[in-house]
Amino acid sequence: MRLLGVGMCAAALAVGLLAAPAHASAAGEPAELRGAGWALKDTGKQVRFRGLAAVSRTTAWVAGSKGTVLRTVDGGRSWQDVSPPGAVAEGLELRDVEAFDARRAVALSIGEGEASRVLRTEDGGATWTETFRNPDPRAFYDCLTFFDSRHGLAMSDPVDGRFRILSTDDGGRSWRVLPDTGMPPALPGEAGFAASGQCLVSAGPRDVWLATGGGPAARVLHSADRGLTWRAAESTVPAGDPARGVFALAFRDRTRGLAVGGDYRTGQASPQAAAVSTDGGRSWRQAAAPPPAYRSGAAWYPYSRGTALAVGPTGTDLTRDGGRTWQPLDAGSFDTVDCAPDTGCWASGEKGRVARLERG
């Protein structure tokens, strides 16, 4: 979405870490989260990292403003600046990064026309190849996702009244625009939010979901055939304003999903900032006790029955019941969150902030 093209500037109301959340030892929560909290990892940078890929507890990639990409392979004790030289020179806004391992990653820069690009590395960021540069001045790419190491999609705000989908079947080495015949018409003013790299997410080999805002309703679009055909459903997250809608999705599997968002403007209320789906996004119900403010990122905790994290500029919240109720975990500012299969969870955001979830 264009209003986020140069970054949202929502100020953090508090930036300190809580020593140990009061509810951390509650029954039913994974043992790994009892007494857990975010531990900041010094990146040595002051840029905003809205793109994040958690590979494991030791390996993670972050991507952000000024063309910056960092990688750690030692749990955040040290960071390598592996920024693509061309992206740095042009000051590209890198808002999403998807990593397959410590060596292979794909990054997306956002913006109108040629500012939207895809870059790929196979050597841990030592070299990068530009594999897509958007030729259409009407398109504005927001997010990308991968089903596996070969198949992936990227999404653009509507062009000619429909969201545009870009597809790869060779790990991001080449891309093609999919036909829009299976995409329902966009609502007036509807677009995606390039806030956390989570406006387009996938689960399993073929299912993918797209989050929207800015229009009269905040919708979630679902495709079960890797982006060829889509079905739209209204969420309960408030919309009706360019600053409101669903900012991030997280699906644990083909059926159970979370949507978080709200109003990203500082000081604006977001009373219904989370929703839950148990039918693959065909329908959504409002969280009974949602996060207290706008949230831009969400992630399921691996192997848990209903534990997930949501982050935003004013803090982190935790759910242990599949998104029905949320409780505060941390007051620090983050834009996005991601958990690796080995239960390594990472968060990143403004002023170079990156953290890993660790026991107290």
Side-chain angles (χ1 to χ4, degrees):
M1 175 175 277
R2 286 156 179 80
L3 66 91
L4 295 172
V6 294
M8 297 185 307
C9 295
L13 298 183
V15 296
L17 289 175
L18 300 183
H23 60 274
S25 60
E29 184 172 312
E32 293 85 350
L33 291 188
R34 292 174 186 167
W38 293 118
L40 289 172
K41 307 296 181 179
D42 184 12
T43 63
K45 301 290 184 180
Q46 289 295 310
V47 301
R48 193 161 201 166
F49 292 119
R50 293 187 184 275
L52 167 66
V55 177
S56 67
R57 286 189 57 81
T58 57
T59 301
W61 299 68
V62 290
S65 54
K66 301 180 181 179
T68 308
V69 179
L70 304 183
R71 184 191 71 149
T72 183
V73 294
D74 58 11
R77 289 191 297 273
S78 64
W79 294 87
Q80 294 174 296
D81 188 334
V82 294
S83 305
V88 174
E90 295 189 52
L92 296 181
E93 285 286 332
L94 299 176
R95 295 294 183 87
D96 201 352
V97 60
E98 303 289 330
F100 308 118
D101 49 41
R103 297 185 61 80
R104 298 174 299 159
V106 178
L108 172 74
S109 71
I110 68 160
E112 296 178 346
E114 292 190 352
S116 286
R117 305 177 196 178
V118 178
L119 305 167
R120 188 179 193 276
T121 182
E122 298 183 9
D123 53 14
T127 61
W128 292 83
T129 302
E130 182 181 299
T131 59
F132 173 77
R133 182 179 295 206
N134 172 39
D136 191 335
R138 302 170 299 169
F140 185 112
Y141 285 85
D142 297 295
C143 296
L144 58 83
T145 190
F146 276 84
F147 304 94
D148 51 46
S149 62
R150 292 178 53 208
H151 302 93
L153 301 176
M155 59 81 68
S156 163
D157 289 341
V159 176
D160 293 329
R162 299 175 192 270
F163 285 94
R164 176 170 288 182
I165 303 297
L166 199 64
S167 175
T168 180
D169 60 8
D170 56 11
R173 295 178 180 87
S174 64
W175 298 82
R176 64 187 179 94
V177 175
L178 294 181
D180 67 1
T181 52
M183 177 68 70
L187 302 177
E190 190 176 31
F193 290 104
S196 61
Q198 296 177 327
C199 58
L200 186 72
V201 301
S202 56
R206 305 188 70 83
D207 287 274
V208 59
W209 296 263
L210 187 161
T212 82
R219 302 195 298 173
V220 177
L221 282 63
H222 171 236
S223 171
D225 53 13
R226 290 185 183 157
L228 293 176
T229 60
W230 297 79
R231 181 176 181 176
E234 289 191 15
S235 75
T236 60
V237 176
D241 185 279
R244 297 176 188 160
V246 176
F247 282 71
L249 298 168
F251 272 81
R252 179 180 169 189
D253 49 39
R254 295 190 69 223
T255 59
R256 289 167 287 186
L258 304 171
V260 299
D263 190 320
Y264 77 84
R265 293 172 295 191
T266 304
Q268 293 296 310
S270 295
Q272 302 170 18
V276 180
S277 176
T278 57
D279 57 9
R282 289 191 293 272
S283 65
W284 294 86
R285 66 180 185 275
Q286 180 183 333
Y294 155 74
R295 295 293 179 252
S296 55
W300 289 94
Y301 190 79
Y303 315 116
S304 66
R305 302 184 78 180
T307 301
L309 299 157
V311 300
T314 61
T316 299
D317 299 285
L318 176 74
T319 180
R320 291 168 289 158
D321 55 15
R324 291 187 293 276
T325 62
W326 294 84
Q327 298 142 335
L329 175 71
D330 182 275
S333 173
F334 294 108
D335 292 314
T336 190
V337 59
D338 192 25
C339 292
D342 70 350
T343 71
C345 292
W346 297 78
S348 65
E350 63 179 348
K351 298 180 180 178
R353 284 170 56 87
V354 179
R356 190 179 68 179
L357 198 65
E358 298 180 2
R359 290 191 183 188

